[in-house]
Amino acid sequence: MVKTLEKNEIQAKRDLSLKSQPLRREIHMSNVKVLDQKHVEINGVKAQCTPTAMSELLKILGLSKTFIAKFEGLFNQETSSQLINRIRMAQSNQGSGKIWVTVNPYTKTINGFSRSFGERMSTGEFLGFTDTLFGDSNMELTNWSVGMDGSISINGFNKNAVSEVRMTNGETEVFTGGLNVSMDFKNGLQVRPYVNRQWCSNGLVTQMASEMYTLNRLDSTTLDKFYQEMAELKSKNWLPTTFGDRIKESNNTAASIHEMKHAHKQISKYLPKDAEHWVPLNENMAAYRRMGVDIDNMSYIQEKKSKSNTSIWDLTNALTHVATHGKDFIDNFGDEQGLNLMVSAGDLLGRKNWDHEGEILNPFNELRPSGSLLN
């Protein structure tokens, strides 16, 4: 059974979300000096910038990171910073100098720059949006993570949105549909399907392109279109259009060694000694060594071409199991870590193509030297 958040837990998460909201302040561009790719000086005080923030500042100045990289290749970082600051001063003297800076309240790192206050959604606006979305959809909340950078991710599901998928082995898998709503400085506000496998309550956040929505503003036109798309998704019990087909295909597709390594690495972040229990990577590597294959020195392409004894569906379930139940057996494993693994599972299942997808059986056990016999 899927565990849902109690009212007091939801209120505590709301309070933490508001407390972690990034600070915003209007400044004049003439008071911002670029020191290098990671630091600026504002009113004489040095501050660290995230890559996203630096990209946004360069974009405001009409520059790109590609241009700056090429410029530094010809000259050096100091000369590059001088060029950026000259352009900055020229723009500030032309009357277009006011910008907004957003700062992490804990680390004091700069998260972003924008031309206007409205380009950034406040935490209060985000929470108001999620209240309406989950409330109108009759969804209960299961996970709510708040990052140190002010990022938020919330999962909700409708217990009545049940769908069945008939597997090729004759078994039936039952899923409950819902939504994941998140906001961060890199991607803005995003809404994606959230799916629970009913019998074990494992959850995953899917990113299948047709049902992932990014909202950059909350004006009436944008929201009207968004809610029309939500109504269509609701009519499908909140499951992505191709979800059932992908589940069946994943159950019949062998994961490559490369895909297995990726899943093993994700779980190893939280279970460095026990990841093998969920993803038998070492067992597969040993099998290749017994065949005389130098598996430890394979290239990226060779890893993708090498099959494992595990299906994509099994890897997905390994990730979702740890994501959903990790709190029970991993120290310091919370909603943020669980949601990260759910997204990793959704990324794997939602890939456009798996490494061994669509392969057919080879009727030939060995190559026949027909052509060479003619010479």
Side-chain angles (χ1 to χ4, degrees):
M1 183 176 179
V2 181
K3 183 182 181 301
T4 58
L5 299 179
E6 302 290 342
K7 286 185 178 180
N8 63 317
E9 294 176 304
I10 292 174
Q11 187 58 52
K13 292 292 187 180
R14 290 180 72 89
D15 294 342
L16 178 60
S17 298
L18 291 168
K19 180 182 177 182
S20 303
Q21 175 172 261
L23 308 173
R24 293 196 279 185
R25 180 183 174 188
E26 188 180 39
I27 58 175
H28 199 276
M29 203 181 294
S30 60
N31 296 324
V32 183
K33 181 180 179 182
V34 176
L35 301 179
D36 52 46
Q37 290 184 351
K38 296 182 179 179
H39 300 88
V40 297
E41 189 177 276
I42 299 179
N43 294 326
V45 178
K46 184 178 179 180
Q48 185 173 345
C49 285
T50 64
T52 298
M54 187 58 72
S55 295
E56 290 177 341
L57 180 58
L58 293 176
K59 186 177 179 180
I60 290 172
L61 297 174
L63 301 171
S64 69
K65 294 184 72 173
T66 302
F67 169 79
I68 295 302
K70 289 181 178 179
F71 190 85
E72 288 183 356
L74 294 173
F75 300 95
N76 54 50
Q77 192 172 48
E78 183 179 356
T79 306
S80 173
S81 297
Q82 290 174 356
L83 171 66
I84 295 172
N85 287 317
R86 286 180 181 178
I87 295 173
R88 170 184 57 81
M89 289 305 296
Q91 288 198 16
S92 64
N93 292 333
Q94 292 174 0
S96 57
K98 288 189 176 181
I99 58 175
W100 284 88
V101 60
T102 309
V103 181
N104 184 307
Y106 299 109
T107 65
K108 307 306 178 187
T109 300
I110 295 175
N111 285 340
F113 290 95
S114 58
R115 276 289 189 188
S116 66
F117 186 86
E119 289 182 25
R120 290 283 187 212
M121 184 182 296
S122 70
T123 300
E125 289 173 321
F126 173 79
L127 294 178
F129 172 81
T130 58
D131 286 344
T132 301
L133 181 59
F134 287 127
D136 290 349
S137 306
N138 297 315
M139 291 189 182
E140 299 178 68
L141 305 186
T142 60
N143 310 88
W144 187 324
S145 75
V146 183
M148 285 291 290
D149 60 352
S151 60
I152 306 171
S153 185
I154 307 173
N155 284 347
F157 81 106
N158 185 319
K159 61 183 178 182
N160 296 318
V162 177
S163 299
E164 295 184 353
V165 177
R166 186 76 170 174
M167 308 296 278
T168 53
N169 60 5
E171 296 180 358
T172 299
E173 292 278 7
V174 183
F175 299 92
T176 307
L179 293 172
N180 166 265
V181 187
S182 64
M183 180 178 71
D184 60 47
F185 275 86
K186 182 178 181 181
N187 301 305
L189 191 157
Q190 289 190 324
V191 180
R192 296 166 288 192
Y194 163 67
V195 182
N196 269 295
R197 188 182 179 199
Q198 201 169 81
W199 77 269
C200 62
S201 72
N202 288 357
L204 63 86
V205 175
T206 70
Q207 301 200 64
M208 297 178 184
S210 59
E211 277 93 6
M212 185 173 75
Y213 310 94
T214 299
L215 286 81
N216 296 315
R217 58 181 67 88
L218 294 180
D219 59 87
S220 58
T221 303
T222 302
L223 285 177
D224 285 346
K225 181 181 178 182
F226 170 75
Y227 282 117
Q228 287 175 10
E229 293 170 334
M230 287 296 101
E232 183 179 346
L233 187 58
K234 181 180 180 180
S235 70
K236 296 178 286 190
N237 278 343
W238 305 103
L239 293 185
T241 303
T242 60
F243 185 77
D245 292 336
R246 293 307 276 168
I247 292 293
K248 287 183 278 190
E249 290 167 5
S250 70
N251 195 41
N252 294 323
T253 302
S256 68
I257 293 297
H258 175 75
E259 289 163 334
M260 180 169 266
K261 277 188 172 182
H262 176 74
H264 192 276
K265 181 179 179 181
Q266 298 305 309
I267 294 178
S268 293
K269 293 177 182 178
Y270 312 107
L271 290 166
K273 296 181 180 179
D274 299 316
E276 186 73 13
H277 177 72
W278 283 273
V279 180
L281 175 63
N282 294 330
E283 173 189 315
N284 277 260
M285 299 279 279
Y288 273 93
R289 292 190 195 100
R290 287 194 295 270
M291 289 177 60
V293 176
D294 188 8
I295 188 76
D296 301 288
N297 294 303
M298 273 189 174
S299 67
Y300 170 79
I301 297 297
Q302 289 172 323
E303 284 186 354
K304 290 175 76 68
K305 289 185 176 182
S306 301
K307 287 185 178 181
S308 71
N309 64 357
T310 304
S311 71
I312 293 292
W313 180 232
D314 283 333
L315 285 189
T316 302
N317 276 291
L319 289 166
T320 58
H321 180 86
V322 177
T324 305
H325 305 289
K327 293 179 183 178
D328 299 333
F329 52 84
I330 303 175
D331 294 333
N332 302 315
F333 190 93
D335 281 338
E336 183 176 2
Q337 292 75 23
L339 281 163
N340 286 339
L341 273 183
M342 288 183 193
V343 171
S344 293
D347 284 347
L348 175 62
L349 188 64
R351 282 182 184 173
K352 188 174 181 180
N353 293 108
W354 300 302
D355 292 340
H356 293 283
E357 183 176 355
E359 289 189 352
I360 60 176
L361 295 175
N362 184 356
F364 306 107
N365 294 323
E366 58 184 22
L367 299 178
R368 181 179 174 186
S370 305
S372 60
L373 293 175
L374 299 174
N375 296 317

